[in-house]
Amino acid sequence: MSDFSAAHDWLTPVATPTVPTDGKRGLRLRFYSVIFVCDLASLAIGFAAGRLLAAARGLPSESFTLLAAIVPIYLLLSTRNFTADTIERWRVSAWRALASLVTAFFVTVFVAFFLKEVSLISRLSTVIAFICSAGLLLGCRAVVGVIGERVFRGSALSRMLIVDGVNIPLPDGLKIVSCEPIGDTELAIHPLALDRLARHLRGIDEVFVACPPARRSTWSTILKGGGVKTEMLIPELDTIGVIGNKHFAGIASVLVSTGGLQLRDRIQKRILDLAIVIPALFFLAPLLAIVALLIRLDSRGPVLFVQSRVGEGNQLFSMFKFRSMHHKLLDHDGRVSTARNDARVTRVGKIIRATSIDELPQLLNILRGDMSFVGPRPHAIGSLAGDKLFWEIDQRYHHRHVCKPGLTGLAQVRGFRGATHQREDLVNRLDADLEYVNGWSLRRDIVILFATLRVVIHRNAF
């Protein structure tokens, strides 16, 4: 993309939806919470009714302790399906919830049969408990579904349409932006331009792109790192009868990006981060204070070095490090890699860089949610591999930003760290980063964290 894209906002809003796009995600989470609580209350009230009936008939109440196993089994089956369809297609979702309840009921009875506890269960009170729970469940889902239809007005997802050089009918109910022309063969997209795009994508769940055929590859490359599900509008697909493509506003489309981690995976990753970073900051506080004092005594300047780095969805954020160089010689753009015996590095800086202590302030970035413990390392805009900028070397470079950057990552535990003197230094890291984002799992994050302990002190850390 030409330099003008880095100098100003190259996307112009054309239309905005009735419900703000940045608020739909929060609304969905609140609706999921309400549905979860209502489901739990429905089961609790239903089985309480059955328990009262059993007590009135003089039957043992222990039977309902056994039947309480239905609740966790139901929650395990149903909450895995909390998606936008749960709100948009609430009737279908309600029947699926009922099917989960029936499954949980029969699984519990089946287990009770093998435990020889069936004799304790009152059939009449159990049936009444099930009917009450099922009726309340369907009723609550219906009420929440009707309210959801009014609140979301047709779509529980935030959608955005990017129109680049084509004329198509503009549908209602979504954010629409037009863009200045992108060069047909330009794939080295300036990070500042991508940061502006990322701001438009904030809160968006799905993106649709309408552009001439020659620009589709470029847009696909741009949006693969945006962390948002993306579909490309290709009207000519209808003329050849392609099987399996989707439609948007009556125009055939194909999926070019699945976006980042699913909501459940994001929650798991965030819980792991918070479970580590909060006690880590507490126990490391004395060390952080001592290092800060030594930096102030060793040389003039601030304790922290703050630098803009490319984060999740190609959005820039301020990353914190302990200052390890003389203040007047700091490289805020990251254009010059640190060399061994670099004259810019202070006496304290040599120690904290060799031991990776200079990275510890990034715990604050993790606490803020800018970073995660594990992920691709964030790079400065001006970082060079040889004589080329990182983002000019490989068109896949921005794909690594589909998830949060990390304090450590797969590339680091494999030894790909330190200065990038040639193109291969970056490509090795990029391959490892893409392997990580394409095969993420919580287990892998934990393995990488333990593997990092072996490379805290590294021969390339200087």
Side-chain angles (χ1 to χ4, degrees):
M1 183 175 297
S2 52
D3 290 340
F4 76 85
S5 297
H8 70 291
D9 198 339
W10 49 288
L11 291 167
T12 305
V14 175
T16 55
T18 308
V19 180
T21 55
D22 56 354
K24 280 193 174 183
R25 189 169 296 173
L27 274 175
R28 285 203 311 275
L29 290 175
R30 286 195 284 273
F31 266 78
Y32 294 155
S33 300
V34 170
I35 292 171
F36 178 84
V37 171
C38 287
D39 286 0
L40 199 59
S42 298
L43 268 61
I45 294 172
F47 283 105
R51 185 186 181 96
L52 289 174
L53 178 61
R57 299 179 64 209
L59 297 173
S61 60
E62 288 80 2
S63 62
F64 283 89
T65 302
L66 180 64
L67 290 172
I70 291 176
V71 176
I73 296 174
Y74 167 78
L75 294 177
L76 180 65
L77 293 172
S78 64
T79 54
R80 291 172 63 89
N81 298 319
F82 276 14
T83 64
D85 275 352
T86 307
I87 300 170
E88 292 179 347
R89 303 173 62 199
W90 63 265
R91 294 175 181 82
V92 174
S93 174
W95 288 113
R96 286 176 181 170
L98 180 61
S100 297
L101 180 59
V102 172
T103 302
F105 176 78
F106 281 108
V107 167
T108 303
V109 172
F110 182 75
V111 172
F113 174 80
F114 274 96
L115 294 176
K116 299 181 179 181
E117 299 287 350
V118 177
S119 59
L120 294 175
I121 301 177
S122 166
R123 285 174 293 182
L124 177 60
S125 56
T126 299
V127 170
I128 290 177
F130 175 80
I131 292 174
C132 288
S133 296
L136 288 170
L137 184 72
L138 292 175
C140 289
R141 289 283 185 129
V143 171
V144 175
V146 171
I147 295 173
E149 287 179 342
R150 295 178 180 178
V151 171
F152 289 99
R153 302 184 184 182
S155 175
L157 294 174
S158 299
R159 294 184 170 95
M160 185 172 87
L161 171 64
I162 298 176
V163 181
D164 173 21
V166 296
N167 292 317
I168 64 168
L170 301 181
D172 297 324
L174 72 161
K175 181 178 180 179
I176 302 174
V177 297
S178 64
C179 105
E180 297 187 16
I182 297 176
D184 296 344
T185 60
E186 290 179 310
L187 293 176
I189 314 302
H190 198 290
L192 290 179
L194 292 180
D195 177 63
R196 288 171 170 80
L197 173 61
R199 297 178 190 280
H200 283 283
L201 293 176
R202 189 177 297 167
I204 297 295
D205 299 299
E206 292 182 344
V207 175
F208 300 87
V209 180
C211 66
R215 301 178 193 168
R216 289 171 184 162
S217 176
T218 302
W219 273 112
S220 177
T221 299
I222 291 174
L223 289 164
K224 273 186 169 62
V228 181
K229 180 182 176 182
T230 303
E231 293 185 30
M232 191 74 61
L233 303 189
I234 306 180
E236 57 265 31
L237 289 179
D238 282 331
T239 64
I240 57 178
V242 174
I243 298 175
N245 63 291
K246 297 182 179 181
H247 283 79
F248 172 77
I251 302 174
S253 65
V254 295
L255 185 68
V256 296
S257 175
T258 58
L261 302 180
Q262 298 299 312
L263 177 62
R264 186 179 61 212
D265 297 332
R266 289 174 181 269
I267 292 174
Q268 291 177 353
K269 192 171 176 62
R270 184 60 177 158
I271 290 174
L272 176 64
D273 286 339
L274 292 176
I276 299 175
V277 74
I278 293 175
L281 283 170
F282 177 78
F283 286 109
L284 291 174
L287 173 62
L288 298 176
I290 292 171
V291 173
L293 178 61
L294 291 175
I295 291 173
R296 291 300 300 268
L297 294 175
D298 184 44
S299 61
R300 293 182 178 181
V303 169
L304 294 180
F305 172 56
V306 183
Q307 187 179 53
S308 290
R309 297 284 179 105
V310 182
E312 183 181 19
N314 293 314
Q315 188 163 340
L316 298 178
F317 74 100
S318 297
M319 193 191 78
F320 307 129
K321 296 180 70 172
F322 277 128
R323 181 176 58 83
S324 59
M325 295 184 178
H326 294 285
H327 178 57
K328 293 183 178 179
L329 301 177
L330 290 174
D331 179 15
H332 288 279
D333 292 330
R335 291 185 175 275
V336 181
S337 295
T338 308
R340 197 178 299 275
N341 299 320
D342 198 312
R344 296 175 299 167
V345 179
T346 64
R347 290 170 297 179
V348 172
K350 291 179 181 178
I351 298 172
I352 62 176
R353 291 179 73 92
T355 55
S356 299
I357 291 176
D358 64 320
E359 308 285 356
L360 288 180
Q362 287 159 50
L363 294 174
L364 298 174
N365 286 117
I366 296 173
L367 186 65
R368 285 173 33 156
D370 298 325
M371 294 176 59
S372 176
F373 268 101
V374 183
R377 283 293 296 161
H379 297 152
I381 295 176
S383 297
L384 295 170
D387 59 351
K388 282 192 174 182
L389 294 162
F390 280 6
W391 44 276
E392 294 177 330
I393 289 177
D394 194 312
Q395 68 182 56
R396 303 172 301 158
Y397 176 74
H398 297 296
H399 300 180
R400 67 195 293 276
H401 302 137
V402 73
C403 66
K404 286 182 181 179
L407 185 64
T408 185
L410 186 61
Q412 283 63 49
V413 299
R414 287 181 176 174
F416 302 133
R417 57 183 294 189
T420 50
H421 297 299
Q422 52 191 355
R423 178 182 182 275
E424 288 70 22
D425 293 329
L426 172 67
V427 173
N428 288 334
R429 300 181 195 193
L430 179 59
D431 288 339
D433 290 339
L434 295 180
E435 179 184 337
Y436 169 79
V437 300
N438 291 327
W440 180 88
S441 70
L442 192 64
R443 177 182 172 276
R444 192 172 206 179
D445 272 12
I446 295 172
V447 170
I448 291 174
L449 283 172
F450 279 106
T452 300
L453 299 177
R454 302 198 308 265
V455 295
V456 169
I457 299 177
H458 191 274
R459 59 185 177 86
N460 288 336
F462 47 78

